Amino acid sequence: MNNNQEMVRANGLLKKFHNFTAVNKINFSVHKQECFGFLGPNGAGKTTTVRMIYCFLEPSSGELIVLGKNVLHNPRGIKSCIGVCPQENNLDPDLPVWDNLRVFARYFDIVGKEAEIRCEELLHFVGLYAKKNSNVEELSGGMKRRLIIARSLLNKPDLLIMDEPTTGLDPQGKHQVWETIMQLKDQGTTFILTTHYMDEAAHLCDRIVIMDKGEIIMEGKPRELVEKNIGTNVLEIYSANKEIENYIKSKNLNYEKTKTHYYIYIKGGEKELAEISNKFGSEISTLRMANLEDVFLKSTGRELRE
Amino acid sequence: MTSILKNTSWRSLRVWQRNFDVYLATWKVNFIPPVLEPILYLLAFGLGLGQLVKDVPYNSHQISYLEFIAPGLIATAIMNHGFFETTYASFVRMYYQKTFDAIMSTPLTIEDVVFGEILWGATKSLFAGTIMLVVMFFFGLLSFPLSLWILPISFITGMTFASMGMCFTAIVKNIEMFNFPVFLFITPMFLFSGVFFPLSTLPIWAQYVAWFLPLTFLVSSVRAIGLGSFGMDIFLQLLVLIVLAFICTLLSLSMMKKRLLK
Ligand SMILES: Nc1ncnc2c1ncn2[C@@H]1O[C@H](COP(=O)(O)OP(=O)(O)OP(=O)(O)O)[C@@H](O)[C@H]1O
Ligand SMILES: [Mg+2]
């Protein structure tokens, strides 16, 4: 199998809402059987981008090819081969769990015995078979998520698009969803997901892009992005004062400061930790491994988005 | 315009099926009000008003008041069930339940969804028309078998009112705003389209105004059929409603596309 085959390709993809540019001429491509992640603060344009991929929104300009088809010319063809888990729950509250799947399968022309088998299989797969007669509103948040995942798999999609699949879930729910995703990945499904959770991206994604204000500001493999932008470790200091800053500056360390913290991006760092503990007290600092969150905060800034 | 036609397909029936499934699951709730409604009207008007108004002139002979309003009530039910389905009910599915969004991530297009909703609205008109016909039959108020024509007519003209409703759904900001079309459009039609009194009792100018109301055409043709006085003018009246259905359907498809796809 050719793993470099392009499942999605975007060239100069732009989306405007009236005068507001939500996605600004971005380029990316998603390869077969990889898990591709969109990261970014609120309002970065992640949902807008994936909505264009699943043909819910039309691009204002630029080119977007999904599974070899242009989103403007063949949305039906694209939509019949992909699965979508949207950011907002849109299960059908008028129908019980089982019918949610059965009716949805019918939109893909999966009917009768075939639909029944498929629905049963998927309910077992996401562990909701016992709930098949329940009302959707009776399900917990995690169960709803899993039902949406089951729904998105009805047509055996080549490409699965998940917009914040674990937002609002408890750790158990989150891990169940992750496991489901990893199982499907092993079976050869290609994933596009958006997330705010860096551990999720690091755990699941082969490649990520970080978006901010409609633009892609960084792209690569999670591990490599961390190494390239942060180093291996971070020395966190929970007390921001001039003396410490002078010390950091005298050592010529790469650091960032907030109102209350210093973050020193460093290889190793044991020696510096010992020195700081000696000079300023041992309670105020820790040394930890650098992670994607450091990259994220460093590249998109620490301010809240409005 | 051509793209709207190209994007509307038989897949609309999938949306119709979805709504039908939901309807069947709660059929008792869905069934009883439409049955009770005409009975209540007939009782109120038959026992109440009918005692005061003995006979009404119709085509140069006299008929009982109950006979006169029965076809009008059928027409009203056809209008209401189509219109309310594609306004309040469709709006809830579109806005609160995000049902349209979910369907649009499948091979169905927005046009399929909207057209399916209109077809479903027309089907609700057909159900209402059927229930009315049965009730009126037991009251002995219609001429049969000619009145069976009312069934296909309720579906076809149901399309007219359902597609009109969908045009409003495409523009309202919130569900309360449906009060405007209901009080400025539906209620005046209910009162001034000849359901409760012959149009000829109105001043001439008001009669002209009445013939701008779609319900007037439906009341007139259903009454002619229901009372067994079949004539050519029925075809003309229905044609007006069919043309209106085409226009409103196309209009609502393009307006809904603007609303949902932006
Ligand atoms: N339909 C719309 N009309 C107008 N503006 C919109 C619309 N959809 C999104 N936007 C704007 O586009 C920008 C990007 O929104 P988008 O939903 O893509 O962000 P996001 O990255 O998914 O954010 P979040 O993490 O909060 O889900 C936001 O500023 C948003 O207000
Ligand atoms: Mg989003």
Side-chain angles (χ1 to χ4, degrees), chain B residues 83-219:
Chain B
F83 188 85
F84 281 84
E85 186 64 30
T86 54
T87 47
Y88 290 95
S90 291
F91 190 82
V92 167
R93 288 191 281 271
M94 169 183 79
Y95 189 84
Y96 295 103
Q97 305 187 350
K98 308 280 176 209
T99 313
F100 292 10
D101 291 3
I103 302 176
M104 277 154 61
S105 66
T106 72
L108 277 76
T109 59
I110 173 68
E111 288 90 341
D112 290 332
V113 177
V114 175
F115 191 60
E117 288 280 314
I118 295 174
L119 283 177
W120 174 247
T123 307
K124 290 290 287 280
S125 296
L126 171 63
F127 291 168
T130 309
I131 291 169
M132 280 294 208
L133 212 62
V134 173
V135 173
M136 305 289 184
F137 170 78
F138 283 111
F139 279 78
L141 291 168
L142 298 175
S143 88
F144 277 93
L146 189 62
S147 288
L148 289 176
W149 282 107
I150 293 172
L151 296 181
I153 289 173
S154 40
F155 182 81
I156 294 166
T157 59
M159 290 293 288
T160 314
F161 294 102
S163 57
M164 280 179 184
M166 195 51 92
C167 289
F168 289 111
T169 301
I171 49 175
V172 296
K173 293 242 163 8
N174 54 54
I175 200 160
E176 278 78 30
M177 276 176 73
F178 282 126
N179 285 333
F180 287 107
V182 169
F183 286 109
L184 296 176
F185 189 59
I186 297 296
T187 310
M189 282 206 279
F190 177 56
L191 296 174
F192 296 105
S193 295
V195 176
F196 296 107
F197 48 82
L199 286 181
S200 56
T201 54
L202 289 173
I204 288 290
W205 66 266
Q207 291 184 34
Y208 278 115
V209 174
W211 283 103
F212 275 93
L213 304 173
L215 187 62
T216 305
F217 292 82
L218 186 57
V219 171

Side-chain angles (χ1 to χ4, degrees), chain A residues 40-48 50-51 87-88 163-164 194 196:
Chain A
N42 290 139
K46 306 179 297 292
T47 298
T48 306
V50 297
R51 278 187 169 166
Q87 182 169 356
E88 280 177 68
D163 198 353
E164 300 192 20
T194 78
H196 289 291

Side-chain angles (χ1 to χ4, degrees), chain A residues 15 54 56-57 76 79-80 84 88 90-95 102-104 106-109 111 151, chain B residues 7 9-11 14 17-18 21-22 97-99 101-109 112 261-262:
Chain A
K15 181 67 191 180
Y54 64 78
F56 187 85
L57 292 172
R76 265 195 220 280
K79 290 193 291 179
S80 63
V84 179
E88 280 177 68
N90 60 17
L91 290 166
D92 199 327
D94 291 335
L95 298 167
R102 186 182 58 84
V103 168
F104 212 78
R106 198 162 57 197
Y107 298 133
F108 291 95
D109 294 332
V111 293
R151 194 184 70 177
Chain B
N7 289 333
S9 72
W10 63 271
R11 287 177 192 274
R14 298 293 188 210
Q17 282 177 308
R18 181 257 169 221
D21 281 355
V22 174
Q97 305 187 350
K98 308 280 176 209
T99 313
D101 291 3
I103 302 176
M104 277 154 61
S105 66
T106 72
L108 277 76
T109 59
D112 290 332
L261 293 188
K262 275 192 266 195

